[in-house]
Amino acid sequence: MPSRYRSALGAASAAVLAIAAGAVAPGGPAVAATTPPASATGLTRVIVEADDPGAAALAVTRVGGRVGRALAVVDGFVAEVPTQRLSVLRAAPGVRGVTEDGSVSMEAARWRADGDANSMFSVVRATGALDVWKKLDPSGRNIIGTGVGVALIDSGVAPVTGLNDATRVINGPDLSFESQSPTLRYADTFGHGTHMAGLIAGRDPNTNPLTVSDPTNFTGMAPNATLISVKVAAADGATDVSQVIAGIDWVVTHRNDPGLNIKVINLSFGTDSNQDEKLDPLSHAVESAWKKGITVVVSGGNDGKTRANLSNPAVNPYVIAVGAADSKATESRSDDVVADFSSRGNTTRSVDLTAPGKSIVGLRDPGSYVDVNYPTGLVPGDTSGRYFRGSGSSQAAAITSGAVALLLQQRPTLTPDQVKKLLTSTADVMPLAETLGRGAGELNIKNAINAPTPTAAASTQTWAASTGTGTLEAARGTAHVADPVSGVELTGEKDIMGKAWNGTTWAKTATAGTAWTGGTWNGSAWTGTDMKAGLLPGLLTMKSWSSVSWSSTNWDGRTWSGRTWSGATWDGRTWSGRTWSGNTWSGRTWSGSYWSSSIWD
C-alpha cells in the first residue's frame, strides 16, 4: 500500500487519475484510456493536484497554461498546459502531481476501503484493533467486544446494513421529542447517531473473527459489542440538556438489566456551559455514571482554538475526553496532528487523548437530515451507496468507545479509572502535534491490550467530587429549544415536561443511581417500564423500551421542535464546513458544543 494517501475525499479520485494514466484500478480491471486531448494551440488538458493551490495556479500561468475549474476532491484543478512544459510544471512549488486528463470508464474507479486512509478498515489497522481481534480473552473468545454493552446517547440508530442485527442493537427509551410519533419513535431521523453506531460496533452480516478483517466488509472497532441506543435528539438535532441528563440517568439505573451489561457510555455531545463542573448537573451525571462503574467517553468539542474550555461534560476531569486527530491522509502516524477544529481546552483541562476524527467513513443513514442536506458527505466511487464521511470529536469519541469495549471484554473487572490509565499510558506519541489538544497522544488499543493492569494506586483519580447542585439553565449554555407556535424558549429551572428542577434533590438520586423509578424521572412519566419486541418498523424482532404519551400543562413534548435548530437557520458551514460553525446548540452552531461533529465530507 502506498505510504501517502490522497487527502480528504480524494481516494476515489486518485483511482480515477490512475486509470486515466493507463494504470489498473484498485480492486478492478485495467481500463483503456484515450490519448490525452491536445488542442490546436499545443495545450494538453491535465489535472493538477496541489499542496498549495495558489502557488500551483501561479505555476500553470508561468509555463503558459490556463487554469480551469476547481476539483475539491483532489485538492486541485483542471488546467491546459503546453505539452513541452509539463515536466517544468510537475517540479514547480505547490504542485503535488500533474496527470494528463484522459477519458475513462468511471464504473471501474470503485472505492476500496483498503485504499482509503480514513476508512474504518484503515482506522482499525492504525489503532491496532485489527490485531486485537485475533487475540483471545480468558474464555477463549476472539476479542471483538462480545458481552460488553455500549450505551449510545444520541439521535438513534437506523437499521442499515451493518447495524441491523437485532441481537446486538437494542433500543433503550426514546426520550426525544419524536417519541410521541409511532412512525418516528426510535428512528434516527437526523443521521448522527447511526454514524457513531457504525464506528463503535458496526458489522456486516456473515462476518466472523476469521474474516472480520476483510476490507470489503464494514467493521467498527468492537464488531460484536451490544449497542444500546438511547435516543434524545430529533430530526433537526433539537434536544434539551434535561433529556440528555435523563438519558444518562436511565443508563445508570438499567446498566445491569438482563442482556445489557452496560459498561461504556458514548456521549458525542456537549454544551457551552461555563458553570463550574463541580456544580453543573450534566457534569455530575457523567461523574455519577463513572463512579457506578461505567466508562464514560465524551467528545472534547469542535471549537478549535476559539474557546478556552472543552465542552461540557468533557470538562469533568473523571471522564475520558477525546480530541480529533488528523492523519494528514498518510499511513504513518508520525505526521498526525490535532485536527484544526478539535477543541484545545486549556492547561487546566484539555483532552485526555486523541483518536482518528478527520473525514472518517461511516455508515450512511439514507433520508436523514444530514443525508438529504449535506451530500458532500457521500463517498465518491462508493457504488454501494452505503457510506458517509464525517469529521469531528464525535467520531473520535465513538472510535474510542469501541476500543474501550475491546479492553473490557479482555478484562471485565477493570475500573473506569484503570481503563483511562491504560488508554492514556499506551497512546502513540504525536511529535508534530501541539501539546495543548493532543493529550497523552493518539489511541492505540493494541498497546493497551498488551499492557499490564495498572494498580489502584497508579490509576485511581482523586479529583474533588462534583455536587450537581448548580442550575439546569446554566448547563444549557446559550442554546434553548422553543415551542414552534409561540416561539417561547424553554429556560430556567424546569425540564421539558415543565417540572421544577431541584438540583440538590436530583443530585442525590443521580449519585445513588436511582434517578429513575420505573418509567418516571424528575416526577414525570417519560417512558414505559419494560422491553418489548417489534416496535421498530422493518425490524420485527428489535428489542425496544416501551413508550408512553407525554402530557404537560406548560410544555407538551409533542410540540417541541427547537426553533433555533430548524434547517432554515443552518449556515453554509454547517455539516460541510470546517467547524460545524459556532459554539452553541442553536442552528447557528451545532459546534463542538453539543453533537460534536464538524464536517460531513
Side-chain angles (χ1 to χ4, degrees):
M1 181 169 293
S3 61
R4 183 176 179 87
Y5 294 85
R6 306 300 187 195
S7 63
L9 303 182
S13 294
V16 176
L17 296 177
I19 297 168
V24 177
V31 178
T34 63
T35 302
S39 70
T41 59
L43 298 178
T44 296
R45 190 169 69 244
V46 297
I47 294 174
V48 179
E49 296 175 84
D51 289 321
D52 183 337
L58 181 61
V60 168
T61 60
R62 283 177 172 171
V63 298
R66 298 192 295 248
V67 175
R69 64 187 175 87
L71 294 174
V73 293
V74 291
D75 293 330
F77 51 85
V78 173
E80 289 185 327
V81 180
T83 305
Q84 70 274 20
R85 303 283 284 171
L86 287 175
S87 60
V88 177
L89 179 61
R90 288 188 173 101
V95 175
R96 184 167 67 241
V98 178
T99 305
E100 296 172 345
D101 187 14
S103 300
V104 299
S105 299
M106 290 298 293
E107 61 270 15
R110 296 179 60 190
W111 175 79
R112 288 275 302 189
D114 54 346
D116 189 315
N118 300 306
S119 70
M120 277 307 293
F121 183 72
S122 296
V123 168
V124 298
R125 180 173 52 199
T127 59
L130 193 62
D131 293 321
V132 170
W133 296 341
K134 300 172 185 176
K135 295 179 177 292
L136 302 179
D137 69 9
S139 300
R141 303 172 300 179
N142 288 84
I143 300 176
I144 52 177
T146 303
V148 179
V150 181
L152 175 64
I153 301 174
D154 213 290
S155 61
V157 177
V160 297
T161 301
L163 292 170
N164 56 352
D165 182 350
T167 65
R168 294 193 310 110
V169 182
I170 297 171
N171 282 319
D174 186 336
L175 306 178
S176 75
F177 299 126
E178 291 177 342
S179 67
Q180 301 306 289
S181 170
T183 60
L184 300 178
R185 191 175 300 145
Y186 311 117
D188 183 9
T189 53
F190 191 66
H192 186 272
T194 299
H195 205 263
M196 300 305 109
L199 307 186
I200 296 169
R203 188 186 74 200
D204 278 359
N206 304 318
T207 57
N208 60 59
L210 299 179
T211 62
V212 76
S213 61
D214 183 349
T216 63
N217 291 327
F218 183 87
T219 313
M221 289 290 290
N224 211 43
T226 302
L227 268 175
I228 298 89
S229 172
V230 179
K231 179 179 174 180
V232 295
D236 54 0
T239 190
D240 183 63
V241 73
S242 62
Q243 291 164 286
V244 179
I245 293 172
I248 298 167
D249 285 345
W250 185 91
V251 169
V252 175
T253 299
H254 293 275
R255 66 192 185 280
N256 295 322
D257 283 5
L260 299 189
N261 189 35
I262 300 174
K263 303 294 289 184
V264 188
I265 287 176
N266 184 87
L267 196 59
S268 293
F269 166 95
T271 77
D272 63 346
S273 168
N274 286 315
Q275 184 171 212
D276 188 318
E277 68 273 7
K278 292 187 292 297
L279 300 176
D280 191 278
L282 179 57
S283 173
H284 183 69
V286 295
E287 185 175 317
S288 296
W290 186 273
K291 292 179 177 178
K292 286 296 183 182
I294 302 174
T295 302
V296 183
V297 182
V298 182
S299 51
N302 292 342
D303 293 316
K305 299 178 181 179
T306 64
R307 188 167 180 264
N309 297 320
L310 297 183
S311 61
N312 174 43
V315 291
N316 186 289
Y318 279 95
V319 302
I320 300 175
V322 187
D326 180 353
S327 71
K328 308 301 288 185
T330 67
E331 187 174 10
S332 171
R333 283 195 152 191
S334 63
D335 62 349
D336 289 7
V337 296
V338 180
D340 57 356
F341 54 78
S342 189
S343 291
R344 270 50 172 185
N346 54 56
T347 55
T348 300
R349 177 58 170 155
S350 185
V351 297
D352 297 296
L353 76 164
T354 67
K358 181 70 179 292
S359 295
I360 306 300
V361 179
L363 294 175
R364 176 187 172 206
D365 181 5
S368 66
Y369 183 88
V370 173
D371 183 61
V372 170
N373 289 276
Y374 300 96
T376 51
L378 296 172
V379 178
D382 167 30
T383 56
S384 70
R386 296 182 55 203
Y387 302 115
F388 207 83
R389 288 191 191 273
S391 300
S393 56
S394 277
Q395 282 76 9
I399 288 166
T400 303
S401 289
V404 172
L406 298 178
L407 199 53
L408 288 171
Q409 180 191 340
Q410 182 202 35
R411 284 173 269 187
T413 61
L414 288 174
T415 66
D417 283 357
Q418 288 174 314
V419 169
K420 185 174 182 177
K421 182 67 175 180
L422 277 168
L423 294 185
T424 54
S425 63
T426 60
D428 287 335
V429 297
M430 301 175 71
L432 299 184
E434 57 198 285
T435 302
L436 194 63
R438 72 183 181 191
E442 194 168 1
L443 174 72
N444 188 319
I445 186 58
K446 180 181 177 181
N447 286 350
I449 287 285
N450 291 334
T453 300
T455 64
S459 60
T460 301
Q461 301 184 94
T462 57
W463 308 104
S466 64
T467 66
T469 56
T471 70
L472 193 64
E473 176 61 20
R476 292 185 178 107
T478 59
H480 303 82
V481 290
D483 185 290
V485 177
S486 67
V488 175
E489 295 184 346
L490 173 57
T491 61
E493 301 312 294
K494 53 188 171 185
D495 63 25
I496 62 167
M497 302 294 191
K499 287 287 186 178
W501 177 263
N502 184 309
T504 300
T505 300
W506 165 81
K508 290 179 181 178
T509 62
T511 300
T514 58
W516 281 85
T517 303
T520 299
W521 184 83
N522 197 36
S524 298
W526 286 56
T527 188
T529 59
D530 58 350
M531 191 78 74
K532 296 181 179 180
L535 295 181
L536 186 63
L539 280 180
L540 297 180
T541 59
M542 169 67 78
K543 295 179 181 179
S544 301
W545 207 257
S546 58
S547 190
V548 297
S549 296
W550 291 350
S551 61
S552 172
T553 302
N554 298 318
W555 303 100
D556 185 347
R558 288 169 293 182
T559 69
W560 287 100
S561 74
R563 176 172 57 88
T564 57
W565 285 92
S566 66
T569 65
W570 288 70
D571 69 27
R573 293 177 298 166
T574 305
W575 292 99
S576 61
R578 290 191 314 142
T579 63
W580 207 349
S581 86
N583 59 7
T584 74
W585 270 101
S586 71
R588 296 187 305 273
T589 70
W590 211 201
S591 82
S593 306
Y594 290 75
W595 309 110
S596 306
S597 266
S598 66
I599 310 172
W600 292 96
D601 64 11

